[in-house]
Short mmCIF file of all heavy atoms in Angstrom, two decimals:
data_model
loop_
_atom_site.label_atom_id
_atom_site.label_comp_id
_atom_site.label_asym_id
_atom_site.label_seq_id
_atom_site.Cartn_x
_atom_site.Cartn_y
_atom_site.Cartn_z
N MET Q 1 275.14 185.86 132.14
CA MET Q 1 276.16 186.29 131.18
C MET Q 1 276.30 187.82 131.28
O MET Q 1 275.29 188.60 131.45
CB MET Q 1 275.75 185.95 129.83
CG MET Q 1 276.81 186.41 128.71
SD MET Q 1 276.50 185.48 127.23
CE MET Q 1 277.15 186.70 126.11
N ARG Q 2 277.51 188.33 131.30
CA ARG Q 2 277.74 189.76 131.25
C ARG Q 2 277.41 190.43 129.94
O ARG Q 2 277.18 189.76 129.02
CB ARG Q 2 279.27 189.96 131.64
CG ARG Q 2 279.69 189.44 132.94
CD ARG Q 2 279.16 190.27 134.15
NE ARG Q 2 279.53 189.68 135.34
CZ ARG Q 2 280.52 190.14 136.05
NH1 ARG Q 2 281.19 191.26 135.75
NH2 ARG Q 2 280.85 189.58 137.28
N SER Q 3 277.58 191.64 129.92
CA SER Q 3 277.32 192.44 128.64
C SER Q 3 278.48 192.40 127.72
O SER Q 3 279.59 192.02 128.03
CB SER Q 3 276.97 193.87 129.04
OG SER Q 3 278.26 194.52 129.44
N TRP Q 4 278.09 192.72 126.43
CA TRP Q 4 279.15 192.81 125.37
C TRP Q 4 280.20 193.80 125.85
O TRP Q 4 281.43 193.57 125.60
CB TRP Q 4 278.51 193.23 124.10
CG TRP Q 4 279.61 193.47 123.12
CD1 TRP Q 4 279.91 194.75 122.51
CD2 TRP Q 4 280.56 192.58 122.53
NE1 TRP Q 4 281.00 194.54 121.67
CE2 TRP Q 4 281.39 193.23 121.72
CE3 TRP Q 4 280.83 191.21 122.81
CZ2 TRP Q 4 282.47 192.63 121.12
CZ3 TRP Q 4 281.87 190.66 122.16
CH2 TRP Q 4 282.69 191.28 121.35
N GLY Q 5 279.86 194.89 126.49
CA GLY Q 5 280.86 195.90 127.01
C GLY Q 5 281.88 195.24 127.92
O GLY Q 5 283.06 195.45 127.90
N ASP Q 6 281.47 194.33 128.82
CA ASP Q 6 282.32 193.61 129.72
C ASP Q 6 283.31 192.75 128.93
O ASP Q 6 284.46 192.66 129.22
CB ASP Q 6 281.51 192.75 130.73
CG ASP Q 6 280.75 193.45 131.70
OD1 ASP Q 6 281.12 194.62 132.04
OD2 ASP Q 6 279.60 193.06 132.14
N VAL Q 7 282.83 191.99 127.90
CA VAL Q 7 283.67 191.16 127.11
C VAL Q 7 284.71 192.08 126.37
O VAL Q 7 285.96 191.75 126.39
CB VAL Q 7 282.86 190.40 126.03
CG1 VAL Q 7 283.79 189.64 125.12
CG2 VAL Q 7 281.90 189.39 126.75
N ASN Q 8 284.26 193.18 125.71
CA ASN Q 8 285.20 194.05 125.02
C ASN Q 8 286.23 194.59 126.01
O ASN Q 8 287.44 194.69 125.61
CB ASN Q 8 284.35 195.05 124.43
CG ASN Q 8 285.14 195.88 123.40
OD1 ASN Q 8 285.95 195.28 122.61
ND2 ASN Q 8 284.95 197.11 123.33
N LYS Q 9 285.80 195.12 127.13
CA LYS Q 9 286.77 195.59 128.24
C LYS Q 9 287.82 194.60 128.47
O LYS Q 9 288.97 194.86 128.65
CB LYS Q 9 285.89 196.03 129.36
CG LYS Q 9 286.77 196.57 130.43
CD LYS Q 9 286.02 196.97 131.74
CE LYS Q 9 286.98 197.31 132.85
NZ LYS Q 9 286.34 197.36 134.15
N THR Q 10 287.37 193.28 128.81
CA THR Q 10 288.31 192.29 129.13
C THR Q 10 289.24 192.04 128.04
O THR Q 10 290.48 191.84 128.34
CB THR Q 10 287.53 190.95 129.48
OG1 THR Q 10 286.67 191.29 130.62
CG2 THR Q 10 288.43 189.86 129.81
N LEU Q 11 288.83 191.94 126.84
CA LEU Q 11 289.77 191.67 125.77
C LEU Q 11 290.76 192.83 125.50
O LEU Q 11 291.94 192.70 125.29
CB LEU Q 11 289.03 191.44 124.47
CG LEU Q 11 288.16 190.09 124.44
CD1 LEU Q 11 287.32 189.97 123.24
CD2 LEU Q 11 289.12 188.93 124.49
N ASN Q 12 290.27 194.07 125.74
CA ASN Q 12 291.13 195.24 125.49
C ASN Q 12 292.12 195.25 126.75
O ASN Q 12 293.37 195.79 126.39
CB ASN Q 12 290.33 196.59 125.49
CG ASN Q 12 289.75 196.80 124.08
OD1 ASN Q 12 290.49 196.72 123.13
ND2 ASN Q 12 288.57 197.14 123.98
N GLU Q 13 291.84 194.86 127.82
CA GLU Q 13 292.77 194.75 128.96
C GLU Q 13 293.81 193.76 128.54
O GLU Q 13 295.04 194.06 128.90
CB GLU Q 13 292.11 194.33 130.27
CG GLU Q 13 291.25 195.43 130.85
CD GLU Q 13 290.39 194.96 132.05
OE1 GLU Q 13 290.37 193.74 132.26
OE2 GLU Q 13 289.77 195.82 132.63
N ARG Q 14 293.60 192.74 127.94
CA ARG Q 14 294.61 191.72 127.54
C ARG Q 14 295.53 192.32 126.44
O ARG Q 14 296.68 192.01 126.42
CB ARG Q 14 293.95 190.41 126.94
CG ARG Q 14 292.97 189.78 127.91
CD ARG Q 14 293.51 189.12 129.12
NE ARG Q 14 294.44 189.60 129.99
CZ ARG Q 14 294.08 190.39 131.06
NH1 ARG Q 14 292.86 190.64 131.41
NH2 ARG Q 14 295.05 190.96 131.85
N VAL Q 15 294.94 193.24 125.53
CA VAL Q 15 295.81 193.88 124.56
C VAL Q 15 296.68 194.82 125.27
O VAL Q 15 297.96 194.92 125.01
CB VAL Q 15 294.88 194.61 123.53
CG1 VAL Q 15 295.74 195.50 122.63
CG2 VAL Q 15 294.07 193.60 122.71
N ARG Q 16 296.15 195.68 126.21
CA ARG Q 16 297.05 196.57 126.93
C ARG Q 16 298.15 195.88 127.71
O ARG Q 16 299.26 196.39 127.80
CB ARG Q 16 296.20 197.45 127.83
CG ARG Q 16 295.53 198.60 127.12
CD ARG Q 16 294.82 199.61 128.13
NE ARG Q 16 293.83 199.09 128.99
CZ ARG Q 16 292.56 198.85 128.63
NH1 ARG Q 16 292.24 199.16 127.41
NH2 ARG Q 16 291.72 198.34 129.53
N ALA Q 17 297.83 194.68 128.20
CA ALA Q 17 298.84 193.86 128.94
C ALA Q 17 299.83 193.27 128.07
O ALA Q 17 300.93 192.78 128.52
CB ALA Q 17 298.15 192.88 129.80
N GLY Q 18 299.62 193.29 126.75
CA GLY Q 18 300.50 192.61 125.81
C GLY Q 18 300.37 191.29 125.61
O GLY Q 18 301.14 190.60 124.93
N GLU Q 19 299.36 190.67 126.18
CA GLU Q 19 299.13 189.19 126.08
C GLU Q 19 298.56 188.84 124.74
O GLU Q 19 298.84 187.76 124.25
CB GLU Q 19 298.20 188.73 127.18
CG GLU Q 19 298.84 188.83 128.61
CD GLU Q 19 297.85 188.82 129.73
OE1 GLU Q 19 296.62 188.95 129.43
OE2 GLU Q 19 298.27 188.69 130.84
N ILE Q 20 297.76 189.78 124.19
CA ILE Q 20 297.22 189.57 122.79
C ILE Q 20 297.55 190.89 122.06
O ILE Q 20 297.51 192.00 122.68
CB ILE Q 20 295.79 189.13 122.76
CG1 ILE Q 20 294.84 190.12 123.36
CG2 ILE Q 20 295.57 187.73 123.39
CD1 ILE Q 20 293.37 189.83 123.13
N ALA Q 21 297.75 190.68 120.74
CA ALA Q 21 298.12 191.89 119.92
C ALA Q 21 296.73 192.48 119.39
O ALA Q 21 296.68 193.66 119.24
CB ALA Q 21 298.99 191.52 118.81
N SER Q 22 295.79 191.67 119.13
CA SER Q 22 294.53 192.10 118.55
C SER Q 22 293.47 190.97 118.70
O SER Q 22 293.80 189.90 119.04
CB SER Q 22 294.60 192.39 117.06
OG SER Q 22 295.06 191.25 116.35
N PHE Q 23 292.28 191.35 118.45
CA PHE Q 23 291.17 190.40 118.53
C PHE Q 23 289.99 190.82 117.62
O PHE Q 23 289.82 191.94 117.25
CB PHE Q 23 290.63 190.19 119.91
CG PHE Q 23 289.97 191.46 120.58
CD1 PHE Q 23 288.55 191.62 120.33
CD2 PHE Q 23 290.65 192.35 121.26
CE1 PHE Q 23 287.97 192.68 120.84
CE2 PHE Q 23 290.00 193.51 121.79
CZ PHE Q 23 288.63 193.70 121.66
N ARG Q 24 289.21 189.81 117.22
CA ARG Q 24 288.04 190.03 116.40
C ARG Q 24 287.02 189.06 116.79
O ARG Q 24 287.39 187.97 117.19
CB ARG Q 24 288.42 189.84 114.93
CG ARG Q 24 287.31 190.28 114.01
CD ARG Q 24 287.62 190.12 112.50
NE ARG Q 24 288.21 188.89 112.20
CZ ARG Q 24 289.11 188.79 111.28
NH1 ARG Q 24 289.58 189.73 110.55
NH2 ARG Q 24 289.60 187.49 111.07
N THR Q 25 285.79 189.55 116.93
CA THR Q 25 284.72 188.67 117.35
C THR Q 25 283.64 188.69 116.27
O THR Q 25 283.56 189.50 115.41
CB THR Q 25 284.10 189.10 118.66
OG1 THR Q 25 283.38 190.30 118.44
CG2 THR Q 25 285.17 189.37 119.78
N ASN Q 26 282.65 187.62 116.49
CA ASN Q 26 281.52 187.63 115.76
C ASN Q 26 280.33 188.12 116.64
O ASN Q 26 279.25 187.59 116.53
CB ASN Q 26 281.23 186.20 115.26
CG ASN Q 26 280.91 185.23 116.35
OD1 ASN Q 26 281.23 185.50 117.47
ND2 ASN Q 26 280.20 184.13 116.02
N GLY Q 27 280.61 189.20 117.31
CA GLY Q 27 279.58 189.77 118.25
C GLY Q 27 278.26 189.96 117.72
O GLY Q 27 277.26 189.52 118.44
N ALA Q 28 278.03 190.54 116.63
CA ALA Q 28 276.72 190.83 116.16
C ALA Q 28 276.03 189.44 115.85
O ALA Q 28 274.91 189.32 116.13
CB ALA Q 28 276.81 191.67 114.82
N GLU Q 29 276.72 188.59 115.22
CA GLU Q 29 276.13 187.23 114.82
C GLU Q 29 275.80 186.43 116.15
O GLU Q 29 274.91 185.75 116.18
CB GLU Q 29 277.10 186.55 113.96
CG GLU Q 29 276.56 185.15 113.56
CD GLU Q 29 277.61 184.36 112.69
OE1 GLU Q 29 278.29 185.01 111.87
OE2 GLU Q 29 277.58 183.20 112.78
N ALA Q 30 276.81 186.58 117.14
CA ALA Q 30 276.72 185.93 118.35
C ALA Q 30 275.39 186.19 119.13
O ALA Q 30 274.75 185.38 119.77
CB ALA Q 30 277.91 186.05 119.20
N ALA Q 31 275.02 187.42 119.06
CA ALA Q 31 273.78 187.86 119.69
C ALA Q 31 272.58 187.14 119.07
O ALA Q 31 271.68 186.92 119.83
CB ALA Q 31 273.68 189.42 119.54
N ARG Q 32 272.72 186.87 117.82
CA ARG Q 32 271.60 186.15 117.15
C ARG Q 32 271.68 184.69 117.44
O ARG Q 32 270.58 184.02 117.57
CB ARG Q 32 271.61 186.60 115.67
CG ARG Q 32 270.43 186.40 114.91
CD ARG Q 32 270.52 186.87 113.49
NE ARG Q 32 271.74 187.15 112.88
CZ ARG Q 32 272.58 186.18 112.28
NH1 ARG Q 32 272.14 184.97 112.19
NH2 ARG Q 32 273.76 186.46 111.71
N THR Q 33 272.87 184.09 117.21
CA THR Q 33 272.96 182.70 117.28
C THR Q 33 273.33 182.09 118.63
O THR Q 33 273.16 180.91 118.93
CB THR Q 33 274.05 182.25 116.33
OG1 THR Q 33 275.41 182.70 116.79
CG2 THR Q 33 273.92 182.64 114.85
N GLY Q 34 273.86 183.04 119.52
CA GLY Q 34 274.21 182.47 120.86
C GLY Q 34 275.61 181.72 120.82
O GLY Q 34 275.87 181.13 121.84
N SER Q 35 276.37 181.87 119.84
CA SER Q 35 277.61 181.14 119.71
C SER Q 35 278.70 182.22 119.38
O SER Q 35 278.83 182.68 118.29
CB SER Q 35 277.59 180.09 118.59
OG SER Q 35 278.82 179.51 118.48
N LEU Q 36 279.49 182.53 120.46
CA LEU Q 36 280.52 183.51 120.42
C LEU Q 36 281.90 182.93 119.98
O LEU Q 36 282.31 181.98 120.47
CB LEU Q 36 280.67 184.19 121.77
CG LEU Q 36 281.78 185.30 121.77
CD1 LEU Q 36 281.46 186.51 120.86
CD2 LEU Q 36 281.89 185.81 123.21
N GLU Q 37 282.43 183.48 118.86
CA GLU Q 37 283.81 183.17 118.52
C GLU Q 37 284.66 184.35 118.60
O GLU Q 37 284.32 185.46 118.12
CB GLU Q 37 283.78 182.61 117.02
CG GLU Q 37 285.24 182.21 116.59
CD GLU Q 37 285.20 181.75 115.11
OE1 GLU Q 37 284.77 180.62 114.85
OE2 GLU Q 37 285.70 182.60 114.31
N ILE Q 38 285.93 184.17 119.16
CA ILE Q 38 286.89 185.23 119.28
C ILE Q 38 288.12 184.80 118.64
O ILE Q 38 288.69 183.74 118.93
CB ILE Q 38 287.05 185.57 120.64
CG1 ILE Q 38 285.85 186.09 121.44
CG2 ILE Q 38 288.19 186.71 120.87
CD1 ILE Q 38 285.84 186.12 122.92
N ARG Q 39 288.61 185.61 117.71
CA ARG Q 39 289.91 185.30 117.00
C ARG Q 39 290.91 186.29 117.60
O ARG Q 39 290.69 187.50 117.71
CB ARG Q 39 289.87 185.55 115.57
CG ARG Q 39 288.88 184.52 114.82
CD ARG Q 39 288.71 184.97 113.34
NE ARG Q 39 288.83 184.03 112.26
CZ ARG Q 39 289.21 182.75 112.25
NH1 ARG Q 39 289.64 182.23 113.30
NH2 ARG Q 39 289.21 182.03 111.18
N ILE Q 40 292.02 185.74 118.14
CA ILE Q 40 293.05 186.46 118.77
C ILE Q 40 294.39 186.29 118.02
O ILE Q 40 294.68 185.22 117.53
CB ILE Q 40 293.20 186.15 120.28
CG1 ILE Q 40 293.64 184.74 120.48
CG2 ILE Q 40 291.85 186.47 121.04
CD1 ILE Q 40 294.18 184.50 121.93
N ALA Q 41 295.25 187.34 118.02
CA ALA Q 41 296.64 187.23 117.66
C ALA Q 41 297.41 187.31 118.94
O ALA Q 41 297.27 188.39 119.71
CB ALA Q 41 297.00 188.27 116.63
N PRO Q 42 298.31 186.54 119.25
CA PRO Q 42 299.11 186.67 120.52
C PRO Q 42 299.99 187.80 120.41
O PRO Q 42 300.44 188.28 119.36
CB PRO Q 42 299.92 185.32 120.54
CG PRO Q 42 299.74 184.65 119.23
CD PRO Q 42 298.68 185.30 118.45
N GLY Q 43 300.33 188.36 121.60
CA GLY Q 43 301.29 189.48 121.73
C GLY Q 43 302.75 188.95 121.33
O GLY Q 43 302.95 187.83 121.30
N ASP Q 44 303.59 189.97 121.08
CA ASP Q 44 304.96 189.58 120.74
C ASP Q 44 305.67 188.70 121.82
O ASP Q 44 305.55 189.09 122.94
CB ASP Q 44 305.83 190.89 120.51
CG ASP Q 44 305.47 191.59 119.27
OD1 ASP Q 44 304.89 191.02 118.29
OD2 ASP Q 44 305.73 192.83 119.24
N GLY Q 45 306.20 187.69 121.46
CA GLY Q 45 306.89 186.72 122.32
C GLY Q 45 305.95 185.89 123.18
O GLY Q 45 306.42 185.14 124.07
N ILE Q 46 304.65 186.02 122.97
CA ILE Q 46 303.69 185.21 123.84
C ILE Q 46 303.38 183.90 123.14
O ILE Q 46 303.06 183.82 121.85
CB ILE Q 46 302.39 186.01 124.12
CG1 ILE Q 46 302.74 187.38 124.72
CG2 ILE Q 46 301.38 185.25 124.85
CD1 ILE Q 46 303.32 187.30 126.09
N ASP Q 47 303.41 182.75 123.85
CA ASP Q 47 303.01 181.49 123.31
C ASP Q 47 301.58 181.53 122.97
O ASP Q 47 300.68 181.93 123.77
CB ASP Q 47 303.20 180.47 124.38
CG ASP Q 47 302.77 179.11 124.00
OD1 ASP Q 47 303.38 178.53 123.10
OD2 ASP Q 47 301.77 178.59 124.56
N PRO Q 48 301.22 181.12 121.68
CA PRO Q 48 299.78 181.21 121.27
C PRO Q 48 298.82 180.42 122.15
O PRO Q 48 297.75 180.92 122.42
CB PRO Q 48 299.94 180.56 119.83
CG PRO Q 48 301.24 180.70 119.41
CD PRO Q 48 302.12 180.70 120.66
N GLU Q 49 299.24 179.24 122.60
CA GLU Q 49 298.40 178.49 123.47
C GLU Q 49 298.12 179.14 124.81
O GLU Q 49 297.00 179.20 125.36
CB GLU Q 49 298.77 177.02 123.51
CG GLU Q 49 297.85 176.23 124.36
CD GLU Q 49 296.48 176.08 123.87
OE1 GLU Q 49 296.26 176.25 122.65
OE2 GLU Q 49 295.52 175.85 124.59
N GLU Q 50 299.16 179.78 125.30
CA GLU Q 50 299.05 180.54 126.59
C GLU Q 50 298.09 181.68 126.39
O GLU Q 50 297.24 181.95 127.31
CB GLU Q 50 300.44 180.89 127.11
CG GLU Q 50 300.35 181.66 128.37
CD GLU Q 50 299.76 180.95 129.56
OE1 GLU Q 50 299.85 179.62 129.56
OE2 GLU Q 50 299.18 181.54 130.40
N ALA Q 51 298.21 182.40 125.36
CA ALA Q 51 297.29 183.54 125.03
C ALA Q 51 295.85 183.03 124.94
O ALA Q 51 295.00 183.75 125.51
CB ALA Q 51 297.70 184.25 123.68
N ARG Q 52 295.63 181.96 124.38
CA ARG Q 52 294.26 181.36 124.20
C ARG Q 52 293.74 181.01 125.58
O ARG Q 52 292.60 181.35 126.01
CB ARG Q 52 294.31 180.18 123.31
CG ARG Q 52 293.01 179.67 122.89
CD ARG Q 52 293.00 178.43 122.07
NE ARG Q 52 293.31 177.25 122.80
CZ ARG Q 52 292.41 176.62 123.55
NH1 ARG Q 52 291.11 177.04 123.59
NH2 ARG Q 52 292.73 175.46 124.20
N ARG Q 53 294.59 180.34 126.35
CA ARG Q 53 294.11 179.95 127.73
C ARG Q 53 293.84 181.19 128.61
O ARG Q 53 292.89 181.13 129.43
CB ARG Q 53 295.18 179.06 128.41
CG ARG Q 53 295.31 177.65 127.85
CD ARG Q 53 296.13 176.80 128.80
NE ARG Q 53 297.44 177.13 128.91
CZ ARG Q 53 298.48 176.82 128.21
NH1 ARG Q 53 298.26 175.94 127.27
NH2 ARG Q 53 299.67 177.32 128.41
N THR Q 54 294.64 182.23 128.49
CA THR Q 54 294.45 183.42 129.20
C THR Q 54 293.07 184.02 128.95
O THR Q 54 292.33 184.37 129.76
CB THR Q 54 295.59 184.49 129.01
OG1 THR Q 54 296.71 183.91 129.40
CG2 THR Q 54 295.29 185.82 129.74
N VAL Q 55 292.82 184.14 127.64
CA VAL Q 55 291.50 184.69 127.21
C VAL Q 55 290.44 183.89 127.71
O VAL Q 55 289.37 184.29 128.25
CB VAL Q 55 291.47 184.93 125.69
CG1 VAL Q 55 290.11 185.20 125.20
CG2 VAL Q 55 292.40 186.01 125.27
N LEU Q 56 290.44 182.54 127.55
CA LEU Q 56 289.41 181.59 128.04
C LEU Q 56 289.18 181.77 129.61
O LEU Q 56 288.05 181.82 130.06
CB LEU Q 56 289.78 180.20 127.69
CG LEU Q 56 289.57 179.78 126.23
CD1 LEU Q 56 290.19 178.40 125.96
CD2 LEU Q 56 288.08 179.82 125.82
N ARG Q 57 290.23 181.90 130.31
CA ARG Q 57 290.13 182.04 131.77
C ARG Q 57 289.50 183.34 132.10
O ARG Q 57 288.57 183.32 133.01
CB ARG Q 57 291.52 181.96 132.27
CG ARG Q 57 291.58 182.11 133.95
CD ARG Q 57 292.95 182.03 134.44
NE ARG Q 57 293.84 183.10 134.02
CZ ARG Q 57 294.88 183.00 133.32
NH1 ARG Q 57 295.32 181.72 132.92
NH2 ARG Q 57 295.56 183.93 132.86
N GLU Q 58 289.90 184.37 131.48
CA GLU Q 58 289.24 185.77 131.75
C GLU Q 58 287.78 185.76 131.40
O GLU Q 58 286.93 186.34 132.14
CB GLU Q 58 290.05 186.84 131.05
CG GLU Q 58 291.45 187.04 131.58
CD GLU Q 58 291.53 187.35 133.04
OE1 GLU Q 58 290.65 188.16 133.54
OE2 GLU Q 58 292.32 186.78 133.71
N LEU Q 59 287.48 185.13 130.26
CA LEU Q 59 286.04 185.10 129.90
C LEU Q 59 285.22 184.21 130.84
O LEU Q 59 284.08 184.58 131.14
CB LEU Q 59 285.84 184.54 128.43
CG LEU Q 59 286.45 185.42 127.33
CD1 LEU Q 59 286.35 184.64 126.02
CD2 LEU Q 59 285.70 186.70 127.25
N ALA Q 60 285.84 183.09 131.28
CA ALA Q 60 285.05 182.27 132.36
C ALA Q 60 284.85 183.02 133.57
O ALA Q 60 283.81 182.84 134.16
CB ALA Q 60 286.04 181.03 132.59
N ARG Q 61 285.64 183.92 133.94
CA ARG Q 61 285.36 184.73 135.09
C ARG Q 61 284.14 185.68 134.91
O ARG Q 61 283.46 186.09 135.95
CB ARG Q 61 286.55 185.70 135.45
CG ARG Q 61 287.73 184.97 135.93
CD ARG Q 61 288.94 185.85 136.33
NE ARG Q 61 289.88 185.01 136.88
CZ ARG Q 61 291.19 185.49 136.91
NH1 ARG Q 61 291.45 186.71 136.46
NH2 ARG Q 61 292.17 184.80 137.38
N LEU Q 62 283.72 185.95 133.67
CA LEU Q 62 282.62 186.63 133.34
C LEU Q 62 281.42 185.76 133.08
O LEU Q 62 280.24 186.21 132.82
CB LEU Q 62 282.79 187.55 132.11
CG LEU Q 62 283.88 188.56 132.15
CD1 LEU Q 62 284.10 189.18 130.73
CD2 LEU Q 62 283.56 189.60 133.16
N GLY Q 63 281.65 184.48 133.15
CA GLY Q 63 280.50 183.54 132.76
C GLY Q 63 280.26 183.37 131.34
O GLY Q 63 279.15 182.96 130.91
N ILE Q 64 281.34 183.76 130.51
CA ILE Q 64 281.20 183.64 129.07
C ILE Q 64 281.82 182.40 128.51
O ILE Q 64 283.00 182.09 128.89
CB ILE Q 64 281.94 184.79 128.42
CG1 ILE Q 64 281.42 186.25 128.92
CG2 ILE Q 64 281.87 184.83 126.84
CD1 ILE Q 64 280.00 186.49 128.60
N VAL Q 65 281.14 181.62 127.74
CA VAL Q 65 281.75 180.54 127.04
C VAL Q 65 281.89 180.87 125.59
O VAL Q 65 280.94 181.50 124.95
CB VAL Q 65 280.82 179.16 127.08
CG1 VAL Q 65 281.36 178.15 126.30
CG2 VAL Q 65 280.55 178.93 128.53
N ALA Q 66 283.11 180.71 125.07
CA ALA Q 66 283.35 181.13 123.67
C ALA Q 66 284.43 180.23 123.06
O ALA Q 66 285.12 179.54 123.72
CB ALA Q 66 283.91 182.60 123.59
N GLU Q 67 284.40 180.22 121.77
CA GLU Q 67 285.49 179.45 120.94
C GLU Q 67 286.53 180.52 120.75
O GLU Q 67 286.19 181.55 120.13
CB GLU Q 67 284.93 178.96 119.72
CG GLU Q 67 286.03 178.18 118.87
CD GLU Q 67 285.59 177.71 117.48
OE1 GLU Q 67 284.39 177.79 117.27
OE2 GLU Q 67 286.37 177.10 116.86
N VAL Q 68 287.72 180.25 121.22
CA VAL Q 68 288.82 181.12 120.97
C VAL Q 68 289.73 180.54 120.08
O VAL Q 68 290.35 179.50 120.28
CB VAL Q 68 289.53 181.50 122.38
CG1 VAL Q 68 290.71 182.49 122.07
CG2 VAL Q 68 288.53 182.21 123.38
N VAL Q 69 290.02 181.29 118.94
CA VAL Q 69 290.81 180.75 117.79
C VAL Q 69 292.12 181.63 117.78
O VAL Q 69 291.96 182.89 117.77
CB VAL Q 69 290.08 180.77 116.49
CG1 VAL Q 69 290.93 180.28 115.34
CG2 VAL Q 69 288.78 179.91 116.55
N VAL Q 70 293.19 181.03 117.77
CA VAL Q 70 294.52 181.84 117.56
C VAL Q 70 294.75 181.96 116.08
O VAL Q 70 294.78 181.07 115.38
CB VAL Q 70 295.63 181.18 118.37
CG1 VAL Q 70 296.93 182.04 118.14
CG2 VAL Q 70 295.32 180.95 119.76
N THR Q 71 295.04 183.23 115.76
CA THR Q 71 295.52 183.57 114.40
C THR Q 71 296.83 184.15 114.33
O THR Q 71 297.43 184.56 115.39
CB THR Q 71 294.51 184.59 113.69
OG1 THR Q 71 294.70 185.91 114.32
CG2 THR Q 71 293.07 184.15 113.90
N ASP Q 72 297.38 184.32 113.14
CA ASP Q 72 298.74 184.96 113.04
C ASP Q 72 298.65 186.51 113.06
O ASP Q 72 299.61 187.23 113.15
CB ASP Q 72 299.48 184.53 111.83
CG ASP Q 72 298.87 184.93 110.52
OD1 ASP Q 72 297.91 185.64 110.60
OD2 ASP Q 72 299.38 184.57 109.43
N GLY Q 73 297.44 186.99 113.04
CA GLY Q 73 297.27 188.45 113.14
C GLY Q 73 297.24 189.11 111.80
O GLY Q 73 296.48 190.21 111.66
N ALA Q 74 297.97 188.69 110.89
CA ALA Q 74 298.19 189.45 109.56
C ALA Q 74 296.94 189.33 108.71
O ALA Q 74 296.32 190.30 108.29
CB ALA Q 74 299.32 188.85 108.86
N ASP Q 75 296.48 188.08 108.54
CA ASP Q 75 295.33 187.97 107.56
C ASP Q 75 294.21 187.13 108.22
O ASP Q 75 293.25 186.69 107.60
CB ASP Q 75 295.75 187.20 106.25
CG ASP Q 75 296.31 185.83 106.55
OD1 ASP Q 75 296.30 185.34 107.68
OD2 ASP Q 75 296.73 185.26 105.49
N GLY Q 76 294.37 186.81 109.54
CA GLY Q 76 293.31 186.09 110.23
C GLY Q 76 293.45 184.53 110.11
O GLY Q 76 292.59 183.91 110.66
N SER Q 77 294.49 184.08 109.41
CA SER Q 77 294.57 182.57 109.27
C SER Q 77 294.94 182.00 110.58
O SER Q 77 295.62 182.63 111.40
CB SER Q 77 295.56 182.26 108.25
OG SER Q 77 296.83 182.73 108.43
N THR Q 78 294.55 180.78 110.90
CA THR Q 78 294.78 180.18 112.16
C THR Q 78 296.21 179.67 112.34
O THR Q 78 296.88 179.43 111.33
CB THR Q 78 293.81 179.02 112.48
OG1 THR Q 78 293.91 178.07 111.41
CG2 THR Q 78 292.39 179.49 112.56
N VAL Q 79 296.65 179.71 113.50
CA VAL Q 79 298.11 179.18 113.78
C VAL Q 79 298.09 177.75 113.93
O VAL Q 79 297.20 177.09 114.54
CB VAL Q 79 298.66 179.94 115.04
CG1 VAL Q 79 299.93 179.36 115.45
CG2 VAL Q 79 298.69 181.37 114.87
#
């Protein structure tokens, strides 16, 4: 598994590309429990499921397994 910095860099690259608007993780808890959850808000005009698949694919390249949940971005509620 790569470092947390690699995960953060990958997610920030997806934000810069406009594929996701924002993300939030349970990084501190994941280090303790071994279960990573990432909440993402899709970028403007991006299909939510496509955004989720993109993040999962990029994380897989790092050897990271995570639950990726799509939110509406405003209050964190799921789509």
Side-chain angles (χ1 to χ4, degrees):
M1 181 166 153
R2 302 284 180 106
S3 72
W4 171 245
D6 292 327
V7 172
N8 194 41
K9 177 183 174 195
T10 296
L11 293 170
N12 277 313
E13 287 170 352
R14 304 288 51 89
V15 170
R16 281 191 298 279
E19 296 164 343
I20 62 175
S22 62
F23 66 91
R24 184 172 54 208
T25 73
N26 68 336
E29 181 182 324
R32 201 171 18 86
T33 66
S35 179
L36 178 62
E37 179 182 285
I38 301 171
R39 293 174 135 348
I40 63 166
D44 287 338
I46 303 296
D47 175 68
E49 184 56 26
E50 181 59 29
R52 189 180 81 77
R53 284 193 304 267
T54 297
V55 169
L56 286 170
R57 182 180 60 245
E58 294 301 318
L59 292 174
R61 290 181 180 163
L62 298 175
I64 304 292
V65 176
E67 179 182 0
V68 177
V69 178
V70 179
T71 70
D72 68 3
D75 64 2
S77 59
T78 57
V79 174

